[in-house]
Amino acid sequence: SSSKVSYTGSGTVELLDPSTQGCGYDNAMYGTYFFAPNQGKFMLSNGEAPECGQCIEVSHGTVKPFKVQYIAPCFNCQDSLFRLSSDAMKKLSGTNDVLSSISDVKVKLVDCDGFT
């Protein structure tokens, strides 16, 4: 089989507008932990964008890595890699202020099962 598609990297993350739709999910597999990737910047190792429903693991500083699910593409991401749901942003940064943005967020493409 071909090598598994992967993604590891880091980038800036911003807060996601809660009304964002796109993949047809109202909520993620992990409830309120979800993200919307920047269609132009967030590319996997095979050069393709992630697909709806795929999961990534995010971490920042001393925050233990946790999973979020792709529920919509981000069309207003500008320079950020992706936008995170309010609860995920709060877990990652300690704040979910609407203007909050975190740089150097570490990201890894992972399987969606075994969420903790």
Side-chain angles (χ1 to χ4, degrees):
S1 63
S2 61
S3 64
K4 192 169 182 215
V5 175
S6 63
Y7 179 90
T8 50
S10 61
T12 301
V13 174
E14 293 176 302
L15 188 66
L16 179 63
D17 178 336
S19 65
T20 300
Q21 292 288 316
C23 292
Y25 305 143
D26 283 333
N27 246 332
M29 188 171 173
Y30 310 127
T32 54
Y33 290 92
F34 49 85
F35 79 107
N38 184 333
Q39 295 300 90
K41 281 196 146 178
F42 191 84
M43 294 295 176
L44 305 180
S45 59
N46 62 357
E48 293 177 7
E51 293 175 24
C52 280
Q54 282 188 306
C55 292
I56 56 170
E57 195 175 72
V58 292
S59 62
H60 176 69
T62 58
V63 177
K64 195 175 158 216
F66 63 95
K67 292 181 184 182
V68 289
Q69 190 176 27
Y70 174 8
I71 66 155
C74 185
F75 297 111
N76 60 341
C77 268
Q78 285 120 3
D79 291 335
S80 62
L81 207 53
F82 53 86
R83 288 183 181 262
L84 274 177
S85 63
S86 180
D87 284 353
M89 192 72 165
K90 187 152 190 157
K91 185 169 180 173
L92 199 61
S93 69
T95 179
N96 56 3
D97 182 284
V98 71
L99 296 174
S100 61
S101 146
I102 325 172
S103 54
D104 199 35
V105 173
K106 296 192 173 29
V107 185
K108 191 166 85 176
L109 186 71
V110 291
D111 290 332
C112 285
D113 55 308
F115 182 63
T116 51

